[in-house]
Amino acid sequence: MAKKKQPLTYTLPDEFQAFDFAQDLVAWYDSQKRDLPWRINKDPYRIWVSEIMLQQTRVETVKPYYHNFMDKFPTVQALADAPEDEVLKAWEGLGYYSRARNLQAAAREVKEQYGGIVPDTPEEIAKLKGVGPYTAGAILSIAYNKPEPAVDGNVMRVFSRLLLMEDDIAKPATRIKLEHLVRQTIPVGRAGDFNQAIMELGALVCLPKNPQCLTCPVFDYCLARKEGVQEELPVKGKAKPPRPVQLVAAVVRKGSELLIRKRPEQGLLANLWEFPIFEVKGQGDETAVLLESLEQEHGIEVEVLDQLTLVQHTFSHLHWEVSVYLCDYLGGEDTSTRGRFVTQEQLAEFAFPNVQTKIMEALKQKEAEATLL
Ligand code: SF4
């Protein structure tokens, strides 16, 4: 007979005074917490949107996007019913666009399966698209005050120091271990405030470099600080560097209009708009790649003029180096279903990723320089 799998058990170090630590931390949070737009109430939808926006993105960057997004899509229903292009436009510039697409897909699930009410059980919430263990824990604890851990990179750093843990936080097993340990530390009835207090501590005091131990509200409990090794923690294995990719992009002018196209429905930057962009493999000739690709994919002929700019952009797994050329349209009908010519004023109606807005800026600068001559 197969052996039954035992649940994992991890225990806090004996010398860590979890109860007193949690009380002091929450008291500090009560008196010092920042006034943030997603903290004005406990609406689970508002909290959910903020948590998705805050992934990989700084608080100050998120704030204006959050205000704009909540104005446009104030409820689950409003987000579920909006055209995807509008949602992507509201996300333009924030990056990691799959977050926006997943958020809307999940809002549609909430509308259809839960009558527009964000579910309040770990099992249901974890099934929503784009909601991982951290986001699920954050929504359940902050909106519904359920005693669930919300462990992200900041929390892993803070707890590695507090508990003097040398486990590699890049490993999934360490996150699971920390979820168990944080769960044991959550004070009764204050789960949401406790999770936010740890995040606040990580953002304001227990910084990645130079933790501010002398002003830390939990100085007395921190095991790494007692050993003087706080700056050596957390242990984090090296991630693979992003893979370099050479690309070439075309700003094709046809009178006062420019050619743009919608990216495919799947994959990187899905459904966003772009000036046509193509990969240059090996030692390929950029101009030849442009001419051939525009003909094959759009059925148009162009004359390649000057190089407009060189744009670099790093994604989590790729590093793009894009050589951008100004081109003049010569002939042919655009046979693709995703390309169209639009005026420069109309560009503002479409959602472009950052790498493309850099191309627009270079174009504007070039035009401004030309008018000065
Ligand atoms: Fe972080 Fe220092 Fe506070 Fe420990 S004492 S939690 S290392 S800031």
Side-chain angles (χ1 to χ4, degrees):
M1 206 168 81
K3 254 188 168 175
K4 207 173 163 193
K5 212 174 168 190
Q6 293 296 315
L8 292 170
T9 50
Y10 296 106
T11 47
L12 291 162
D14 288 343
E15 61 274 39
F16 184 68
Q17 297 168 282
F19 181 83
D20 291 344
F21 154 76
Q23 299 302 316
D24 283 3
L25 181 66
V26 171
W28 169 78
Y29 177 71
D30 286 342
S31 64
Q32 302 291 324
K33 67 181 165 199
R34 286 171 293 174
D35 200 9
L36 298 174
W38 41 91
R39 288 185 177 158
I40 58 171
N41 62 32
K42 304 273 186 209
D43 177 350
Y45 169 66
R46 290 182 64 88
I47 290 159
W48 178 17
V49 172
S50 74
E51 290 298 341
I52 299 293
M53 283 192 171
L54 286 163
Q55 287 167 11
Q56 334 264 356
T57 314
R58 296 162 58 84
V59 166
E60 290 309 316
T61 306
V62 165
K63 277 183 184 173
Y65 282 94
Y66 183 77
H67 285 299
N68 178 46
F69 200 88
M70 295 315 298
D71 282 348
K72 284 200 162 69
F73 317 111
T75 61
V76 170
Q77 172 98 24
L79 179 59
D81 293 345
E84 189 191 70
D85 282 347
E86 269 180 37
V87 177
L88 290 174
K89 185 71 191 163
W91 209 273
E92 187 184 61
L94 204 49
Y96 301 96
Y97 295 89
S98 57
R99 293 182 297 174
R101 284 188 295 273
N102 289 341
L103 180 61
Q104 188 181 36
R108 288 176 175 161
E109 279 176 70
V110 171
K111 180 188 161 194
E112 279 152 28
Q113 292 181 29
Y114 303 103
I117 311 284
V118 180
D120 66 352
T121 67
E123 296 73 28
E124 288 171 325
I125 207 161
K127 283 192 204 139
L128 297 176
K129 210 163 181 194
V131 175
Y134 165 78
T135 309
I139 299 169
L140 290 169
S141 63
I142 301 170
Y144 296 117
N145 210 17
K146 302 248 170 165
E148 292 292 326
V151 174
D152 68 352
N154 275 318
V155 175
M156 288 202 272
R157 177 178 71 254
V158 174
F159 260 82
S160 292
R161 290 171 175 169
L162 284 165
L163 304 181
L164 190 52
M165 270 179 59
E166 290 177 358
D167 306 56
D168 181 352
I169 63 165
K171 293 190 172 156
T174 305
R175 170 188 294 274
I176 291 169
K177 180 174 177 180
L178 277 164
E179 281 169 356
H180 281 254
L181 296 172
V182 172
R183 190 184 290 278
Q184 294 168 45
T185 320
I186 297 173
V188 176
R190 300 293 308 265
D193 289 335
F194 176 77
N195 281 339
Q196 290 184 92
I198 304 173
M199 295 170 202
E200 202 80 339
L201 190 72
L204 302 179
V205 184
C206 195
L207 307 172
K209 288 180 190 145
N210 302 323
Q212 308 291 297
C213 302
L214 292 178
T215 56
C216 177
V218 290
F219 177 93
D220 289 339
Y221 307 99
C222 180
L223 303 183
R225 198 273 312 157
K226 279 182 188 156
E227 296 291 324
V229 295
Q230 63 274 18
E231 305 217 12
E232 287 152 43
L233 293 172
V235 173
K236 189 172 180 193
K238 287 247 176 313
K240 265 214 256 164
R243 180 170 63 85
V245 183
Q246 291 297 129
L247 298 116
V248 61
V251 175
V252 181
R253 297 185 302 199
K254 182 184 182 188
S256 60
E257 294 185 324
L258 303 170
L259 176 64
I260 60 168
R261 67 180 188 180
K262 197 171 197 178
R263 289 181 63 83
E265 278 177 22
Q266 303 292 332
L268 187 66
L269 306 174
N271 280 344
L272 289 162
W273 289 81
E274 66 180 10
F275 295 106
I277 191 166
F278 311 99
E279 185 169 346
V280 182
K281 301 217 167 102
Q283 298 296 312
D285 175 312
E286 292 177 348
T287 309
V289 170
L290 264 190
L291 291 170
E292 204 179 304
S293 305
L294 284 167
E295 185 167 10
Q296 275 180 6
E297 294 188 25
H298 292 273
I300 61 167
E301 280 174 47
V302 300
E303 181 187 3
V304 179
L305 307 171
D306 307 336
Q307 190 186 39
L308 179 64
T309 186
L310 190 67
V311 175
Q312 306 212 26
H313 191 81
T314 304
F315 302 91
S316 49
H317 58 303
L318 296 174
H319 178 76
W320 276 13
E321 222 173 83
V322 189
S323 187
V324 185
Y325 287 85
L326 258 185
C327 304
D328 272 346
Y329 168 84
L330 293 180
E333 276 301 307
D334 186 351
T335 49
S336 74
T337 50
R338 57 201 182 101
R340 65 173 77 171
F341 281 96
V342 297
T343 63
Q344 287 211 39
E345 292 71 43
Q346 288 171 322
L347 288 176
E349 295 165 22
F350 300 86
F352 290 89
N354 289 348
V355 70
Q356 296 287 334
T357 47
K358 287 180 197 165
I359 297 175
M360 273 182 225
E361 279 157 23
L363 181 64
K364 276 187 200 145
Q365 196 179 338
K366 175 146 186 119
E367 287 173 347
E369 284 165 10
T371 53
L372 288 176
L373 291 176

